[in-house]
Amino acid sequence: MAAGDAAMIPLAQAALSEAEGRLAPAGPTDFRRELTACLMLCAPAGMAEEDRREWLIAAWGTLQGIPADLLAAGAQAARRRCTHPSQIVPAILETAEPLWRIRRADRQRVTGALARMRGPARPAEPRCTPAQARRIIEALGLDVPAPGARPPRPSVPDWLRERIAAAATPETNTAIPNEDQ
């Protein structure tokens, strides 16, 4: 597991919880409210109560698992355009299916990412020892200070050293206290 993967697990779990929440299926009350409203607008006058009940059961079974908000959006579209009960379920699915498919794909992506984060840890990259590093440095002819040694100070050009010395005199720079005074 990469170092950042473990830190991302809580975020991925929160994203998964949200994705699953957006896929929570509509309940019986949602189905009753939406499907009954659709059926009342376009049921033929001769449709018996038993036929309406059977239609509602068949429609509910066909739309089983659909999220409540997508059911409501599909039912709203169906109420606007359907003139017969046989058109209602296809209209609801036509409206809801694209978003429902996206939500299922989102959940699948988050689930896959979470599985990869929790998967087996990747083996650590092999590192050379300090002795091996020293041999490599010597073989390449690099001038690297020994461990613990301070790096050499960069050399200051003569012209800059003269300017610094001239600026540091008490006559030209009163901001620096002179120890003689």
Side-chain angles (χ1 to χ4, degrees), residues 14-115:
L16 181 59
S17 177
E18 181 181 340
E20 287 176 347
R22 293 176 46 85
L23 283 170
T29 304
D30 300 313
F31 277 107
R32 189 175 306 113
R33 179 183 59 246
E34 299 298 342
L35 294 177
T36 303
C38 290
L39 186 59
M40 294 304 280
L41 289 175
C42 65
M47 190 173 192
E49 183 65 31
E50 184 63 29
D51 295 335
R52 290 176 192 234
R53 188 174 297 116
E54 285 182 29
W55 182 90
L56 287 168
I57 291 169
W60 187 0
T62 304
L63 297 170
Q64 196 66 33
I66 189 170
D69 63 325
L70 297 182
L71 174 65
Q76 183 179 23
R79 287 191 299 270
R80 287 185 182 148
R81 69 176 192 236
C82 295
T83 58
H84 190 272
S86 65
Q87 299 170 339
I88 295 172
V89 172
I92 292 172
L93 286 174
E94 180 182 310
T95 302
E97 185 60 36
L99 289 173
W100 198 6
R101 190 177 312 115
I102 290 169
R103 290 180 185 184
R104 288 189 301 251
D106 287 346
R107 180 185 58 193
Q108 188 62 34
R109 279 191 294 274
V110 172
T111 302
L114 193 55

